[in-house]
Amino acid sequence: EEGIYKNGLRDSVWVGCYTDGKLCYREVYQEGKFINGTSNDTLGMTYTYDEVSEQAEYKGGIRELYKFIGQNLKYPIDAMRNRATGKVFVKFAIEKDGSIQDIYVLKNIYPSLDKEAIETIKKTSKKWNPGKQRGMLVRVYFTMPISFLFE
């Protein structure tokens, strides 16, 4: 990266390329605050952005995600019989097209609960806005706890 610092903060046009030299970007800063940028991908496409990175987000927001999970999550009968409860922590990738891949359990609590958590997350595929880095769509990992409780 190249640019000018003023009082220890970025304060000019900054230009950079990734080590392979194929992906380059140009960003404008004023007194350390990012203003905007453009980047070019390996196909020569140009992207304009006003945030350096954007997290992937479920369409409608986190509240809608929890609503969807609440409506689709089923408590397995064997888990109820054995009074299995707790939180399953699931990690998965949100692809550039909003689909879900590479789902796995980080913290399991009971086999059928783990399986149900994975199946419910699979149902959210294509319901995500993908993440972005310098205006370009990127694959992003997401970790989510899914609670299984009964009274």
Side-chain angles (χ1 to χ4, degrees):
E1 290 183 313
E2 292 181 356
I4 297 171
Y5 283 103
K6 182 178 177 183
N7 297 324
L9 302 171
R10 290 181 179 205
D11 192 59
S12 68
V13 173
W14 279 70
V15 179
C17 285
Y18 291 93
T19 54
D20 62 8
K22 294 179 183 174
L23 301 174
C24 296
Y25 54 92
R26 178 184 182 277
E27 297 175 343
V28 178
Y29 291 85
Q30 286 181 337
E31 297 177 359
K33 183 177 185 258
F34 173 77
I35 305 300
N36 59 44
T38 57
S39 62
N40 299 310
D41 66 14
T42 56
L43 301 173
M45 297 288 294
T46 300
Y47 302 88
T48 302
Y49 51 98
D50 54 15
E51 290 185 42
V52 175
S53 64
E54 294 176 45
Q55 274 295 333
E57 182 181 51
Y58 186 79
K59 292 178 182 174
I62 195 76
R63 189 171 283 183
E64 286 299 310
L65 175 59
Y66 281 115
K67 181 179 172 184
F68 179 88
I69 289 172
Q71 292 170 344
N72 288 275
L73 191 69
K74 307 291 184 235
Y75 214 117
I77 292 171
D78 69 312
M80 289 180 90
R81 280 191 200 127
N82 290 301
R83 305 193 62 77
T85 64
K87 288 183 184 178
V88 177
F89 285 82
V90 181
K91 186 171 184 174
F92 51 95
I94 302 162
E95 299 293 340
K96 296 175 186 180
D97 65 356
S99 65
I100 302 296
Q101 296 293 322
D102 299 336
I103 306 169
Y104 61 95
V105 174
L106 287 175
K107 179 186 175 222
N108 36 347
I109 54 174
Y110 192 81
S112 61
L113 296 180
D114 301 342
K115 183 178 178 187
E116 180 61 22
I118 288 171
E119 291 304 313
T120 302
I121 291 299
K122 281 182 185 177
K123 293 176 187 174
T124 70
S125 192
K126 298 286 187 177
K127 296 181 180 188
W128 291 82
N129 295 318
K132 291 183 181 180
Q133 181 68 32
R134 292 198 161 98
M136 293 178 272
L137 299 176
V138 293
R139 181 181 217 228
V140 177
Y141 279 94
F142 198 86
T143 301
M144 179 169 197
I146 297 181
S147 296
F148 288 91
L149 304 170
F150 65 90
E151 289 132 20

